[in-house]
Amino acid sequence: RRKALLVMATGTYAWFTWRSTSNTSLTMNIGKLADVIFNSGNDISTSTLAPVYNYTDGEKTTFSINNKDTTGASLDYNIKLNITSIASELKSSDLKYVLLKDNTIVKEGNFSTIITGTNTIYSDSISTSGTTNYKFYLYIDGNIENNVSMMNKSLVGAITVETVKKEPLDAAI
């Protein structure tokens, strides 16, 4: 039964995917120490995405964080999904993401608890100069039966990277 659904869905599912019509490469400065370079922009907008069996067959965006500092100063940062709007039907455990750092999975999740606004999905620190590469995959899990109410629904948002400011703690006297 699921197989028939997937065959039928090949040409008819209209989910969403990564697309940036105005940015082929987007560089954002996140502080004096680092730049973030999105190779295909950081926007999420509607298009087509069918269920897949492996996340690597989903939609992918790549970006890198380049630490320009050579003194060993540490830079803490958060990778966030900033959701402008999401249809309630897409707030599903079937809609998933995987984040890889230098080809190693560092975070997996789904959209069942995603909120409109800022969703921090990963935090890390850079302490040496050089470039850290990320891949973000977005996919519908085809290993389970998907709810057809997800068809033709939309999600709008962007991936951002932000520094974490370290504030000194007040000493009690």
Side-chain angles (χ1 to χ4, degrees), residues 81-156:
L81 287 177
N82 291 315
I83 305 299
T84 304
S85 66
I86 181 170
S88 60
E89 294 86 352
L90 295 179
K91 292 183 179 183
S92 168
S93 58
D94 297 359
L95 181 59
K96 299 181 178 183
Y97 67 87
V98 173
L99 180 69
L100 285 81
K101 175 183 175 184
D102 292 326
N103 294 317
T104 300
I105 294 175
V106 292
K107 181 70 177 182
E108 296 179 77
N110 65 58
F111 281 71
S112 62
T113 59
I114 205 85
I115 61 167
T116 301
T118 302
N119 299 268
T120 300
I121 61 169
Y122 184 69
S123 299
D124 204 357
S125 180
I126 296 175
S127 59
T128 58
S129 63
T131 301
T132 303
N133 297 299
Y134 285 93
K135 293 177 188 171
F136 182 84
Y137 288 93
L138 186 64
Y139 68 104
I140 297 170
D141 190 348
N143 296 298
I144 53 180
E145 188 167 340
N146 308 119
N147 191 331
V148 295
S149 69
M150 294 172 70
M151 290 174 41
N152 300 313
K153 303 302 179 196
S154 69
L155 173 140
V156 178

